[in-house]
Amino acid sequence: MKLQIFTQLNHSQKSAFAVAFVILLPVFFPDLFQPLGRASPSMFSEWIAPRPMHVDLLEGALQRQTSVELQTSLWSPLAFQGWKPCTERPKPPSLPEKSSGYIQVFLDGGLNQQKMGICDAVAVAKILNATLVVPHFEVNPVWQDSSSFEDIFDLDHFIDALRDEVSIVKEPPSDYSWSTREYYATGIRATRIKTAPIHATADWYIENVLPVLRSYGIAAIAPFSHRLTFNNLPSDIQRLRCKVNFEGLIFVPHIKELGDAIIHRLRHASVVNQAEVKDFPLEETDMVGKQQTGKFVVLHLRFDKDMAAHSACDFGGGKAEKLALAKYRQVLWQGRVLNSQFTDEELRSQGRCPLTPEEIGLLLAALGFNNRTRLYLASHKVYGGEARLATLIKLFPLMEDKKSLASTEELAKVKGKASLLASVDYYVSMHSDIFISASPGNMHNALVAHRAYMNLKTIRPSMGLLGHLFQNKSISWTEFQGAILDGHKNRQGQIRLRKEKQSIYTYPAPDCMCRA
């Protein structure tokens, strides 16, 4: 009896302690309830399980049936469009007899910003008849990634592929060994150019950088991102940028090896149990299955907390989520977010809300992807974690990612390195049968361009159309699917010619391609 009373008291004391701990936790550990940084959101705001925002559409998607004809069309390769890769110059390239000096650039941003910066650096070196020092990568302020050029890209291939176009060295010669990132960080230096305007012309570089090269033999340009125009450049300079982007930059062997292992496992996965297939009549299941055998689609799910907060849209997490994102937005950008001035309805009507995992799942289902689709998720970190992915997984139970397809040992070389992880995803994406990105951005643009260059199927979501459809709470699944299919007929990789001021890294034709 005494033991029982003691046990009950002990249990009560434990309960009281637990309650007190939860109440006092914000007092003693306030950082747990606030944004910890751009890459580390509030711990407890991530625990909010979002409610499905489109319940009726979700029910329709789970009961969907897709015809064999739609599956055949969906998985068929993109038809030849009359364009082919074309990066060689009409006349043989040649190096200048004497270099005008050494060019250094310091690049920031993630993988795809770095790639664009490298291409532009090669082009600037060519414009100035200079020798390019292999670009230096700044430590990424968002992901704290210290990966160097040589950690990501095959440096020897890079130098060899461009040997007839531009002279490239791994380090400046000993006479210029003082010209380091640390040197430029400690004071104003005559050899540093920090005034390069956004989209500077070739003439600007000739007028402002060439004199520095002639005076000192070396010039360091920082910042450098987006510092070369897309307009009014000689065709050979444009084609050189294309050659660097699509042929000069390949990933280091261990990235390719890991990517190849993931691709093999996606293409040769065991066949799903027939009992798990619910969205086709039995007589159609085998026919549809043959359409998909050995094929997979890559989904780039760009839905991290930065994206969610900056968009200022409602993502179904209720009042708590809205408050957490608003606070995060205020801490990071001090209210300087234009989207926060608009209502959720206005933003969705303008197509300015990134698609949630639930919404991209509904889009994929409407396009004709069934629950046997092998879906590879290319993403760094999803805001809301597993709870946010639950609906997408329900629609596509065969969804995989790096962690599910590769062992801990295989991932060891890329663990904690955002650029290397992105490189693996990029490599897998380039080898997928179909690629789709949930929201526009650098990764989306780079892959849309690269896959257009290779004539590979790439689905571009119509953000404006989806914004209107998702706001219509009375729309039926049949109406939704019909609108999706009709609105995406010409958004599956069709060549789009670059217009003035548009990026050559998003629209490779006609600068990087020729009529066949």
Side-chain angles (χ1 to χ4, degrees):
M1 184 68 176
K2 288 182 180 179
L3 180 60
Q4 185 178 359
I5 294 172
F6 175 79
T7 303
Q8 290 174 345
L9 287 171
N10 193 38
H11 178 72
S12 300
Q13 289 172 342
K14 287 180 179 178
S15 299
F17 176 77
V19 171
F21 178 77
V22 171
I23 292 173
L24 294 174
L25 197 58
V27 176
F28 292 104
F29 302 98
D31 286 345
L32 291 179
F33 297 84
Q34 298 175 358
L36 303 174
R38 293 177 65 91
S40 303
S42 164
M43 183 181 293
F44 286 91
S45 70
E46 296 282 331
W47 290 359
I48 302 166
R51 56 180 172 78
M53 298 178 69
H54 313 287
V55 178
D56 292 339
L57 287 178
L58 178 58
E59 184 177 345
L62 290 170
Q63 297 174 358
R64 68 195 184 276
Q65 293 189 5
T66 308
S67 68
V68 175
E69 291 75 19
L70 180 56
Q71 284 287 300
T72 302
S73 173
L74 183 65
W75 289 103
S76 296
L78 199 61
F80 180 63
Q81 301 178 68
W83 290 86
K84 65 177 183 179
C86 186
T87 56
E88 293 302 322
R89 297 170 57 176
K91 56 183 179 181
S94 60
L95 292 173
E97 291 184 8
K98 182 180 179 181
S99 171
S100 50
Y102 293 89
I103 287 287
Q104 291 177 294
V105 296
F106 303 106
L107 303 177
D108 55 13
L111 172 69
N112 295 293
Q113 287 174 289
Q114 291 167 341
K115 284 186 67 180
M116 290 186 284
I118 294 165
C119 299
D120 287 351
V122 171
V124 167
K126 185 68 174 179
I127 289 167
L128 298 175
N129 286 328
T131 298
L132 177 67
V133 179
V134 170
H136 172 87
F137 292 175
E138 305 277 24
V139 175
N140 191 298
V142 178
W143 309 117
Q144 294 299 308
D145 188 348
S146 58
S147 299
S148 67
F149 186 109
E150 204 163 356
D151 292 329
I152 304 170
F153 301 108
D154 186 325
L155 180 53
D156 290 334
H157 171 84
F158 174 70
I159 294 173
D160 186 61
L162 301 170
R163 68 183 184 279
D164 294 329
E165 299 272 9
V166 175
S167 177
I168 303 172
V169 296
K170 297 180 181 181
E171 299 286 346
S174 57
D175 289 351
Y176 302 105
S177 60
W178 48 266
S179 185
T180 64
R181 185 66 186 89
E182 292 71 26
Y183 172 75
Y184 294 109
T186 56
I188 298 172
R189 310 296 185 185
T191 51
R192 177 185 174 183
I193 290 87
K194 56 188 299 186
T195 57
I198 298 292
H199 303 312
T201 64
D203 286 342
W204 187 92
Y205 281 98
I206 292 170
E207 293 168 6
N208 294 274
V209 181
L210 190 56
V212 176
L213 287 175
R214 288 172 174 166
S215 297
Y216 299 96
I218 194 166
I221 310 173
F224 187 70
S225 295
H226 309 292
R227 287 325 199 262
L228 182 61
T229 184
F230 294 115
N231 301 316
N232 302 317
L233 286 176
S235 60
D236 62 317
I237 296 296
Q238 294 287 63
R239 289 193 179 188
L240 178 57
R241 292 163 101 177
C242 303
K243 185 174 182 177
V244 180
N245 192 24
F246 299 127
E247 299 172 21
L249 292 174
I250 64 173
F251 296 120
V252 292
H254 74 83
I255 294 291
K256 295 168 68 176
E257 289 166 10
L258 177 55
D260 285 335
I262 289 172
I263 292 162
H264 178 82
R265 289 160 197 171
L266 284 164
R267 293 205 184 281
H268 298 88
S270 58
V271 179
V272 65
N273 191 309
Q274 290 284 348
E276 296 178 10
V277 180
K278 301 175 182 177
D279 53 349
F280 290 101
L282 185 61
E283 65 271 19
E284 290 189 359
T285 300
D286 290 341
M287 296 174 66
V288 171
K290 289 178 182 178
Q291 298 288 345
Q292 297 176 228
T293 301
K295 298 178 181 178
F296 70 96
V297 56
V298 168
L299 166 62
H300 178 234
L301 188 57
R302 190 167 178 242
F303 196 75
D304 55 40
K305 192 164 188 177
D306 271 13
M307 168 69 81
H310 200 274
S311 69
C313 300
D314 178 13
F315 299 110
K319 188 175 181 179
E321 181 177 86
K322 288 182 181 179
L323 290 173
L325 289 177
K327 186 172 184 180
Y328 186 75
R329 189 182 309 127
Q330 185 63 35
V331 169
L332 290 182
W333 299 292
Q334 290 77 47
R336 297 191 301 272
V337 176
L338 181 62
N339 286 350
S340 61
Q341 301 173 20
F342 298 94
T343 66
D344 181 73
E345 290 74 18
E346 289 171 332
L347 292 171
R348 289 190 178 277
S349 295
Q350 298 165 16
R352 294 164 70 179
C353 290
L355 298 177
T356 66
E358 175 191 0
E359 289 169 341
I360 194 69
L362 292 171
L363 170 62
L364 289 169
L367 287 168
F369 294 101
N370 61 45
N371 65 5
R372 294 178 57 146
T373 301
R374 298 210 65 85
L375 187 65
Y376 177 83
L377 186 64
S379 180
H380 180 72
K381 183 175 183 179
V382 177
Y383 172 57
E386 291 297 323
R388 184 75 67 178
L389 289 169
T391 303
L392 180 60
I393 295 171
K394 194 172 184 180
L395 288 167
F396 297 97
L398 302 184
M399 188 172 76
E400 307 280 4
D401 61 12
K402 291 180 289 293
K403 291 182 179 179
S404 67
L405 289 169
S407 67
T408 302
E409 291 74 20
E410 288 175 313
L411 292 170
K413 288 186 177 181
V414 299
K415 184 179 180 181
K417 300 287 188 179
S419 291
L420 296 183
L421 291 166
S423 300
V424 174
D425 283 339
Y426 191 104
Y427 186 83
V428 175
S429 298
M430 279 304 300
H431 290 79
S432 65
D433 298 278
I434 302 171
F435 173 81
I436 183 169
S437 180
S439 299
N442 288 325
M443 183 81 156
H444 166 95
N445 293 340
L447 280 162
V448 164
H450 203 160
R451 289 177 67 89
Y453 182 77
M454 301 300 295
N455 200 52
L456 300 173
K457 184 169 282 190
T458 306
I459 298 174
R460 296 182 298 110
S462 175
M463 303 300 287
L465 171 64
L466 288 163
H468 285 289
L469 292 177
F470 284 131
Q471 284 193 94
N472 184 352
K473 300 303 179 184
S474 63
I475 192 170
S476 68
W477 173 253
T478 302
E479 292 172 315
F480 177 79
Q481 184 172 34
I484 290 295
L485 290 173
D486 187 59
H488 289 81
K489 285 180 180 177
N490 297 313
R491 302 181 68 88
Q492 301 194 22
Q494 287 78 6
I495 291 289
R496 297 173 295 156
L497 299 183
R498 188 178 72 87
K499 299 176 183 177
E500 189 176 3
K501 296 184 179 180
Q502 287 183 330
S503 171
I504 198 172
Y505 305 121
T506 306
Y507 304 91
D511 303 87
C512 309
M513 306 182 76
C514 303
R515 287 282 188 184

Coordinates of all heavy atoms in Angstrom, one line a residue, residues 93-125:
P93 N 39.1 28.3 -83.1 CA 39.5 29.2 -82.0 C 41.0 29.3 -81.9 O 41.7 28.5 -82.4 CB 38.9 28.6 -80.8 CG 38.8 27.1 -81.1 CD 38.5 27.0 -82.6
S94 N 41.4 30.4 -81.4 CA 42.9 30.6 -81.2 C 43.1 31.5 -80.0 O 42.4 32.4 -79.7 CB 43.5 31.3 -82.4 OG 42.9 32.5 -82.7
L95 N 44.2 31.1 -79.3 CA 44.6 31.9 -78.1 C 45.4 33.1 -78.5 O 46.1 33.1 -79.6 CB 45.4 31.0 -77.2 CG 44.7 29.9 -76.5 CD1 45.7 29.0 -75.7 CD2 43.6 30.4 -75.5
P96 N 45.4 34.2 -77.8 CA 46.2 35.4 -78.1 C 47.7 35.0 -77.9 O 48.0 34.2 -77.1 CB 45.8 36.4 -77.1 CG 45.2 35.7 -76.0 CD 44.6 34.5 -76.6
E97 N 48.5 35.7 -78.7 CA 50.0 35.4 -78.6 C 50.5 35.8 -77.2 O 51.4 35.1 -76.6 CB 50.8 36.2 -79.6 CG 50.5 35.8 -81.0 CD 51.4 36.5 -82.0 OE1 52.2 37.3 -81.6 OE2 51.2 36.3 -83.3
K98 N 49.9 36.8 -76.6 CA 50.4 37.2 -75.3 C 49.1 37.6 -74.4 O 48.3 38.4 -74.9 CB 51.3 38.5 -75.3 CG 51.8 38.9 -74.0 CD 52.8 40.1 -74.1 CE 53.3 40.5 -72.7 NZ 54.2 41.7 -72.9
S99 N 49.1 37.0 -73.2 CA 48.0 37.3 -72.3 C 48.1 38.7 -71.8 O 49.2 39.2 -71.5 CB 48.0 36.3 -71.1 OG 47.1 36.7 -70.2
S100 N 47.0 39.4 -71.6 CA 47.0 40.8 -71.1 C 47.1 40.8 -69.5 O 47.1 41.9 -68.9 CB 45.8 41.6 -71.5 OG 44.6 40.9 -71.3
G101 N 47.0 39.6 -68.9 CA 47.1 39.6 -67.5 C 46.2 38.4 -66.9 O 45.7 37.6 -67.6
Y102 N 46.1 38.4 -65.6 CA 45.4 37.4 -64.9 C 44.0 37.9 -64.3 O 44.0 39.0 -63.7 CB 46.2 36.8 -63.8 CG 47.4 36.0 -64.3 CD1 48.6 36.6 -64.5 CD2 47.3 34.6 -64.6 CE1 49.7 36.0 -65.0 CE2 48.4 33.9 -65.1 CZ 49.6 34.6 -65.3 OH 50.7 33.9 -65.8
I103 N 43.0 37.2 -64.6 CA 41.6 37.6 -64.1 C 41.3 36.7 -62.9 O 41.3 35.4 -63.1 CB 40.6 37.5 -65.2 CG1 40.8 38.7 -66.2 CG2 39.2 37.6 -64.6 CD1 40.3 40.0 -65.6
Q104 N 40.9 37.2 -61.8 CA 40.3 36.5 -60.7 C 38.9 36.9 -60.5 O 38.6 38.1 -60.6 CB 41.1 36.7 -59.4 CG 42.5 36.1 -59.4 CD 43.3 36.5 -58.2 OE1 43.6 37.6 -57.9 NE2 43.6 35.5 -57.4
V105 N 38.0 35.9 -60.1 CA 36.7 36.3 -59.7 C 36.3 35.5 -58.5 O 36.8 34.4 -58.2 CB 35.6 36.0 -60.8 CG1 35.9 36.8 -62.1 CG2 35.6 34.5 -61.2
F106 N 35.5 36.1 -57.6 CA 35.0 35.5 -56.4 C 33.5 35.4 -56.5 O 32.8 36.3 -56.6 CB 35.4 36.4 -55.2 CG 36.9 36.7 -55.1 CD1 37.4 37.9 -55.4 CD2 37.8 35.6 -54.7 CE1 38.8 38.1 -55.4 CE2 39.2 35.9 -54.7 CZ 39.7 37.1 -55.0
L107 N 33.1 34.1 -56.4 CA 31.7 33.8 -56.7 C 30.9 33.4 -55.4 O 31.4 32.6 -54.6 CB 31.6 32.7 -57.7 CG 32.3 32.9 -59.1 CD1 32.1 31.6 -59.9 CD2 31.7 34.1 -59.8
D108 N 29.7 33.9 -55.3 CA 28.9 33.5 -54.2 C 27.6 32.8 -54.7 O 27.5 32.5 -55.9 CB 28.5 34.7 -53.3 CG 27.8 35.8 -54.1 OD1 27.4 35.5 -55.3 OD2 27.7 36.9 -53.6
G109 N 26.7 32.5 -53.8 CA 25.5 31.8 -54.2 C 25.6 30.3 -54.2 O 26.6 29.7 -53.8
G110 N 24.5 29.6 -54.6 CA 24.5 28.2 -54.7 C 25.1 27.6 -56.0 O 25.7 28.3 -56.8
L111 N 24.9 26.3 -56.2 CA 25.5 25.6 -57.3 C 25.3 26.3 -58.7 O 26.2 26.5 -59.4 CB 25.0 24.2 -57.4 CG 25.4 23.4 -58.6 CD1 26.9 23.1 -58.6 CD2 24.6 22.1 -58.7
N112 N 24.0 26.6 -58.9 CA 23.7 27.1 -60.3 C 24.1 28.6 -60.5 O 24.4 29.0 -61.6 CB 22.2 27.0 -60.5 CG 21.8 25.5 -60.6 OD1 22.2 24.8 -61.5 ND2 21.1 25.0 -59.6
Q113 N 24.1 29.4 -59.4 CA 24.7 30.7 -59.5 C 26.2 30.6 -59.7 O 26.8 31.4 -60.5 CB 24.4 31.5 -58.2 CG 23.0 31.9 -58.1 CD 22.7 32.6 -56.7 OE1 22.7 31.9 -55.7 NE2 22.5 33.9 -56.7
Q114 N 26.9 29.7 -59.1 CA 28.3 29.5 -59.3 C 28.6 29.1 -60.8 O 29.5 29.6 -61.4 CB 28.8 28.4 -58.4 CG 28.8 28.8 -56.9 CD 29.0 27.7 -56.0 OE1 28.8 26.5 -56.3 NE2 29.4 28.0 -54.7
K115 N 27.7 28.2 -61.3 CA 27.9 27.8 -62.7 C 27.8 29.0 -63.7 O 28.6 29.1 -64.6 CB 26.9 26.7 -63.1 CG 27.1 25.3 -62.5 CD 26.1 24.3 -63.1 CE 26.3 24.1 -64.5 NZ 25.3 23.1 -65.1
M116 N 26.8 29.8 -63.5 CA 26.6 31.0 -64.3 C 27.8 31.9 -64.2 O 28.3 32.5 -65.2 CB 25.4 31.7 -64.0 CG 24.1 31.0 -64.3 SD 22.6 32.0 -64.0 CE 22.4 31.8 -62.2
G117 N 28.3 32.1 -63.0 CA 29.5 32.9 -62.7 C 30.7 32.4 -63.4 O 31.5 33.2 -64.0
I118 N 30.9 31.1 -63.4 CA 32.1 30.5 -64.1 C 32.0 30.8 -65.6 O 33.0 31.2 -66.2 CB 32.1 29.0 -63.8 CG1 32.4 28.7 -62.4 CG2 33.2 28.3 -64.7 CD1 32.1 27.3 -61.9
C119 N 30.8 30.6 -66.2 CA 30.7 30.8 -67.6 C 31.0 32.2 -68.0 O 31.6 32.5 -69.0 CB 29.2 30.4 -68.1 SG 28.8 28.7 -67.8
D120 N 30.5 33.2 -67.2 CA 30.7 34.6 -67.4 C 32.2 34.9 -67.3 O 32.7 35.8 -68.0 CB 29.8 35.4 -66.5 CG 28.4 35.4 -66.9 OD1 28.0 34.9 -68.0 OD2 27.5 35.9 -66.1
A121 N 32.8 34.3 -66.3 CA 34.2 34.6 -66.0 C 35.1 34.2 -67.2 O 36.0 34.9 -67.7 CB 34.7 33.9 -64.8
V122 N 34.8 33.0 -67.8 CA 35.5 32.6 -69.0 C 35.3 33.6 -70.2 O 36.2 33.9 -70.9 CB 35.0 31.1 -69.4 CG1 35.6 30.8 -70.8 CG2 35.5 30.1 -68.4
A123 N 34.0 34.0 -70.3 CA 33.7 35.0 -71.4 C 34.5 36.3 -71.2 O 35.0 36.8 -72.2 CB 32.2 35.2 -71.4
V124 N 34.5 36.8 -70.0 CA 35.2 38.0 -69.7 C 36.7 37.9 -70.0 O 37.4 38.8 -70.6 CB 35.0 38.5 -68.2 CG1 36.0 39.6 -67.8 CG2 33.5 39.0 -68.1
A125 N 37.3 36.7 -69.6 CA 38.7 36.5 -69.9 C 38.9 36.5 -71.4 O 40.0 37.0 -71.9 CB 39.1 35.2 -69.3

